[in-house]
Amino acid sequence: MAALRTGVFRLAVSTMHCRPGVFRKYSAGPLYQYILVDRKGHNQNVGFIQLNRTKALNALSDGLMAEINQALDVFEADPQIGAIVITGSEKAFAAGADIKEMQNRTFQECYGGSFLSHWNRISTLKKPVVAAVNGFALGGGCELAMMCDIIYAGEKAQFGQPEILIGTIPGAGGTQRLTRAVGKSLAMEMILTGDRINAQEAKEAGLVSRVYPVDKVVDEAITCGEKIANNSKIIVSMAKEAVNGAFELSLSEGNRLEKRLFHSTFATDDRKEGMTAFLEKRKANFNDQ
C-alpha cells in the first residue's frame, strides 16, 4: 500500500453533508466508515486511529477491524510515521466484539474460516503502538488494548474479559496476553468470573503503565508516541522485537536474541550517529538507516 502523502488525512462524517452510508474524507488517504484517522505530534510523525462506533460503544465488528488493519498497513508503510496511537471515546475504548455478528455463527464457520484470525495485525507491526484507553475495555476491547505495546489508561477505565458470562471464552488472545500481563491468579479470576478491574488496579497488576485524567490520556499517549518517533525507527523496531521475545522465549533464548539484535545495531548509521552525538554533547540526528 502506498505511503501517506504529505498532510493530514481523516474521515469526515456528517449527516448534514453526507447521504446515509456515504462518508467523505478531507484529503488523500483511504475512505473509512468506522474509524477516524489522522497524524499527530509537532512533526506529524505519530499515526492516530480513533474507533468511531460511539453508539455501539465501539463494538468491534469485522468491518471496523478490517479498517483498523488497513490504517495500520498505511502507517507501517509511511516512513514519516514512527509510532501509532489507538483510542476510542471517553465512554468506551471498545466494549467488546460485536455480539450480533457472532450470535448465529456455527463451529464449522468459525473453524473453517479461522474466525478472528485477522484481529492480530496490531501485534505483528514493527512500529510501536500505544493504546489510550478511556471507559470500557472489555472482551475484544481488552484484547485489542493488550495487542498494543504500551497501554495508557484514563482514571475511569475498566478492563475485563467477560466472555464467560455469555457462554464462551476469549478468542483474540485474552487468555494468553492477560495471563502474561497480570499473572495466573488474577487472570484466572477475571476470566472465570467475568469481573472487571479499574485503571488503578490494572496499573498495580502491570496491565497498564500509566493512569491519567480522562481528558489527558490521549494527549499523553501522543506525547509518548512523539518521544518514540523521534528515535531511530530501525533501532526502535529492534528494541520492540527484543522485548516481545521475552514473552515467547526462554531466558537463554531471549538473551541470544537480544545479543544478535544488539550486535545488529552496529551495522546501522544511526548507532554510529547516536554514540558520536553523545560524545560530542549534541542531539543525535537519526536518518533511520
Side-chain angles (χ1 to χ4, degrees):
M1 186 174 293
L4 297 176
R5 298 175 186 173
T6 302
V8 175
F9 74 100
R10 74 177 70 171
L11 173 69
V13 181
S14 172
T15 56
M16 295 177 63
H17 298 93
C18 300
R19 301 188 305 275
V22 178
F23 300 87
R24 283 191 303 125
K25 53 189 175 181
Y26 283 117
S27 58
L31 191 65
Y32 300 110
Q33 181 177 351
Y34 302 115
I35 61 176
L36 305 177
V37 182
D38 205 345
R39 293 170 180 256
K40 298 290 186 179
H42 296 297
N43 296 318
Q44 300 285 285
N45 56 2
V46 178
F48 185 79
I49 300 172
Q50 182 174 10
L51 281 57
N52 193 39
R53 294 189 72 202
T54 52
K55 291 183 178 180
L57 297 179
N58 292 327
L60 304 177
S61 63
D62 275 347
L64 185 150
M65 293 304 299
E67 289 188 359
I68 289 176
N69 290 349
Q70 185 181 10
L72 291 172
D73 287 342
V74 172
F75 285 140
E76 182 84 311
D78 186 345
Q80 294 183 345
I81 296 295
I84 300 164
V85 170
I86 296 181
T87 192
S89 66
E90 287 192 2
K91 190 172 184 179
F93 176 74
D98 193 327
I99 304 302
K100 291 181 180 179
E101 286 190 349
M102 294 194 294
Q103 182 182 7
N104 296 317
R105 286 184 180 268
T106 65
F107 163 76
Q108 289 82 357
E109 289 173 340
C110 292
Y111 185 79
S114 297
F115 182 44
L116 301 186
S117 61
H118 66 292
W119 285 35
N120 205 43
R121 177 65 181 113
I122 295 177
S123 63
T124 66
L125 289 181
K126 287 189 175 181
K127 295 180 180 180
V129 184
V130 183
V133 177
N134 271 320
F136 301 118
L138 306 176
C142 187
E143 291 171 313
L144 181 67
M146 290 190 294
M147 291 179 201
C148 299
D149 301 298
I150 299 169
I151 304 177
Y152 280 8
E155 56 193 1
K156 295 182 180 180
Q158 297 184 42
F159 299 85
Q161 299 288 163
E163 289 87 350
I164 199 79
L165 303 179
I166 57 170
T168 188
I169 68 171
T175 62
Q176 304 304 301
R177 291 191 175 93
L178 187 63
T179 304
R180 286 167 168 78
V182 305
K184 177 184 175 181
S185 182
L186 181 55
M188 194 73 80
E189 179 185 13
M190 291 173 65
I191 291 167
L192 298 187
T193 66
D195 287 348
R196 308 170 187 174
I197 59 174
N198 61 35
Q200 192 57 45
E201 290 170 327
K203 184 178 185 301
E204 293 171 357
L207 182 60
V208 308
S209 57
R210 297 183 188 273
V211 177
Y212 292 102
V214 171
D215 61 344
K216 301 292 185 184
V217 63
V218 174
D219 288 341
E220 293 292 345
I222 293 169
T223 297
C224 177
E226 284 188 276
K227 291 179 181 179
I228 294 169
N230 289 334
N231 294 317
S232 164
K233 295 178 181 61
I234 190 171
I235 301 301
V236 164
S237 294
M238 290 180 180
K240 174 176 172 174
E241 182 181 352
V243 173
N244 282 335
F247 290 91
E248 299 175 1
L249 304 171
S250 68
L251 179 59
S252 59
E253 290 171 332
N255 280 330
R256 282 195 291 271
L257 172 64
E258 180 186 88
K259 283 291 188 296
R260 286 196 298 272
L261 291 168
F262 169 68
H263 294 157
S264 297
T265 67
F266 284 77
T268 69
D269 294 339
D270 284 348
R271 192 281 312 168
K272 183 176 181 179
E273 164 62 13
M275 292 188 178
T276 300
F278 176 81
L279 293 174
E280 294 177 354
K281 296 181 171 58
R282 61 175 175 83
K283 185 177 180 179
N285 182 26
F286 297 121
N287 62 11
D288 305 319
Q289 297 293 324

